[in-house]
Structure formats: structure tokens, C-alpha cells
Amino acid sequence: MSTVQQPDPSDRPARLTVGVVGAGRVGPALAASLRLAGHRPVAVSGVSDASRRRAEAMLPDVPLVPPAEVLQRADLVLLTVPDDALPGLVAGLAETGAVRPGQLLVHTSGRYGAKVLDPALRAGALPLALHPAMTFTGTPVDVQRLAGCSFGVTAPEELRLAAEALVIEMGGEPEWIFEENRPLYHAALALGANHLVTLVAQAMELLRTAGVEAPDRMLGPLLGAALDNALRSGDAALTGPVARGDAGTVAAHVAELRRHAPQAVDGYLAMARATADRALAHGLLKPELAEDLLGVLAHSADGADGGNGTTGTDGTEGNSR
């Protein structure tokens, strides 16, 4: 059940014409969700063939036009371009007079707040930063995934209700992020989501190398339980050889990684050190075991094999408990 207070009907935006500048994976999905809420997509711009095909699939019958024309046609414009391209796009649109007074200009960058839209604000636009904390596929399933998705919202105080109402209309949950906290907010999401994909992909590769025929089937229940436990209990959910202080098992892991997947060693060591620090700080890792473990990690970081691959304290190598 949503915990977000529904806005008063008088605070809800009127039915708007919607335009999209940047038909990547995000823009068409947001425009499609706004259409379900009663708004009307009227224009979209895209550069690559893939973005054009995506726009045609997600927003059929919506014309593909240049960015300036999108702004001419739409009351609400979604700027869904890569983070590094956003400041230049906003400045260019403002300098060429494409921005209209009273126009809602929304970007979906996690990194930036509303200030990146200052050139458009000076031209009379209403600036909103609405970042969906979701990974997108560029397919219709994205519209369904927006249900209950948190959005990082940053806007001038006088536009806060309008920003939150738009998020709720897309099925999302608004979470207010102060301007100065946007980079940290975005770093946290990247750390949790983007790096997770890398870790899972590496784990599947290693399992295939170990002879597992269906690594996805093996990892699915384990990772699902680990994620659920972490979200519920935080650091108390830490398990495994690092949290137990099984220095011998960790040394064996490093030796095997150096033999079969040397490209994964640095990542393993970095995450093992971070895990050890958190487990020690929260009383999960016994101090008398931490010394040997940290010694193995330091020795391994210097390029050694991390030890002789002796077993852990429970008599196993690789116990995933």
C-alpha cells in the first residue's frame, strides 16, 4: 500500500501535451505512463535508428521531430538524455529561444537537481528533476515496472506539489532529494544497482567455468534471499567466509580466481575488505579472526596468492552459509 499522501485534486496538473527529447529507454516509457494517466504525447525526438524504432513501438502515431519542434508542441517536455549531455542541451534550447514561458521542463537525470535547468528557468520554464530509481529495458514492461517505483524529486518549493503529482500519476512514489544531495543520491543507486549487475554477471561466468549448467537457476533463489535479507536487516544479514573470519577459505578463493578469472580478483578483494570492515564494526566478525583475514586480503592485494588455500574454520572451502 502506498504511504504517499495523495495530492488534492486542485494540485494535480491539468491534462498536458507531452514531448520527449531523447528517445532512449526512459523517455518513451514515462510518456507512455503519462498517456495512461490522461496526458497526450504529441512529439518525440531521437537520433539513432534504435531510438526511433523504440519511439515508434512505445508511442505509436506520435511524430518524430527535431528537439526544438518538440518544445513548440508540448506543454510538458521530458529531457531524457545522458547525464553528460544534459547541460549542453538545456543551454542550447534556451539560447535558441525554443523554451516557452510556463512550459514544464522535466529532466530524468539522477546526478542533477533542478539547477541544471537554470538557463530554461531564466527563459520562463518551470524546472523539475524527476529521476525514476529503476532500470529500463526499452520495452512496454517498463511502464508496468513504474508502479511503486521511487522517483528522486527535486524542484523549486512552489513546484513541489506539481512534481509529486506527476510522479504519482506515473504510478511512482515521490522521494524528495535536496539539490546538494543529488550526486550522493545517484552514487548510492549506481553502487547498488549498476555494480550488482557486474557482480551477478561475474558470478554466473565463474559458475559456468566451475561446470554449473544453469548458473542463473542456481543464483536466483540465493540472490533473491540475500537481497531480501539485506533490505530487511542491513548489515545484520552479512554471512559467508568474510563475515565469519574464515581466512583460509578467502585465501583459497583468491588463489582460484587468480587461476581462472584474474580480472575478478581486484573486485573480490575490494568487496571482501568492505565486507570485513562492516562485519567488524557491527560485531559480526570477531576481532581475533579479523587480523588473519585482513592479513590475507593485504597479502593478496600485493599480488601473492593469498595463502595456501587451507580450509575455513568450519572445515569447508566455499560454504555459502
Side-chain angles (χ1 to χ4, degrees):
M1 179 180 295
S2 172
T3 59
V4 176
Q5 183 179 357
Q6 298 293 320
D8 185 273
S10 63
D11 294 325
R12 294 167 66 89
R15 302 305 91 184
L16 302 168
T17 53
V18 179
V20 179
V21 176
R25 297 181 180 184
V26 178
L30 297 187
S33 67
L34 286 169
R35 179 169 56 191
L36 291 175
H39 301 289
R40 185 165 60 92
V42 293
V44 59
S45 72
V47 177
S48 69
D49 290 339
S51 66
R52 289 172 176 268
R53 288 194 299 270
R54 188 179 299 115
E56 290 169 355
M58 298 279 287
L59 300 170
D61 302 323
V62 176
L64 285 158
V65 299
E69 191 170 341
V70 173
L71 271 71
Q72 290 174 6
R73 298 186 181 199
D75 303 314
L76 165 63
V77 179
L78 302 172
L79 303 179
T80 53
V81 298
D83 289 359
D84 288 351
L86 182 62
L89 172 66
V90 175
L93 292 172
E95 289 171 2
T96 57
V99 178
R100 294 187 285 107
Q103 190 169 48
L104 283 165
L105 211 58
V106 176
H107 79 71
T108 58
S109 165
R111 171 185 173 186
Y112 293 107
K115 285 190 177 300
V116 72
L117 297 173
D118 276 355
L121 174 64
R122 290 191 289 270
L126 306 177
L128 307 176
L130 308 179
H131 174 251
M134 176 56 64
T135 181
F136 288 79
T137 65
T139 66
V141 71
D142 295 332
V143 179
Q144 302 170 19
R145 287 181 173 176
L146 288 173
C149 168
S150 291
F151 278 66
V153 177
T154 306
E157 186 62 34
E158 61 271 20
L159 295 177
R160 179 168 181 163
L161 288 178
E164 293 178 345
L166 282 172
V167 169
I168 292 170
E169 288 194 321
M170 288 186 282
E173 301 273 358
E175 184 74 39
W176 189 259
I177 309 294
F178 288 106
E179 181 80 31
E180 62 271 20
N181 292 337
R182 291 290 291 207
L184 180 60
Y185 152 81
H186 195 224
L189 295 180
L191 183 67
N194 304 154
H195 296 177
L196 176 63
V197 174
T198 301
L199 289 172
V200 173
Q202 284 188 337
M204 288 198 295
E205 288 175 356
L206 293 171
L207 286 172
R208 290 191 190 97
T209 302
V212 174
E213 293 185 359
D216 53 343
R217 188 170 65 228
M218 178 176 283
L219 283 174
L222 173 64
L223 297 184
L227 177 59
D228 184 64
N229 291 342
L231 292 175
R232 291 174 183 271
S233 305
D235 289 300
L238 283 171
T239 63
V242 172
R244 292 194 303 269
D246 290 346
T249 299
V250 171
H253 288 177
V254 175
E256 287 301 295
L257 289 175
R258 288 200 188 283
R259 186 174 301 116
H260 297 288
Q263 73 280 2
V265 171
D266 287 345
Y268 179 94
L269 292 174
M271 291 305 299
R273 283 192 295 269
T275 300
D277 288 344
R278 299 189 75 88
L280 187 60
H282 288 82
L284 302 173
L285 175 59
K286 297 178 181 179
E288 61 269 24
L289 298 176
E291 185 175 356
D292 286 345
L293 175 66
L294 294 174
V296 165
L297 295 175
H299 189 55
S300 300
D302 291 336
D305 64 4
N308 59 10
T310 57
T311 61
T313 57
D314 61 357
T316 65
E317 291 187 359
N319 188 329
S320 63
R321 173 170 53 84

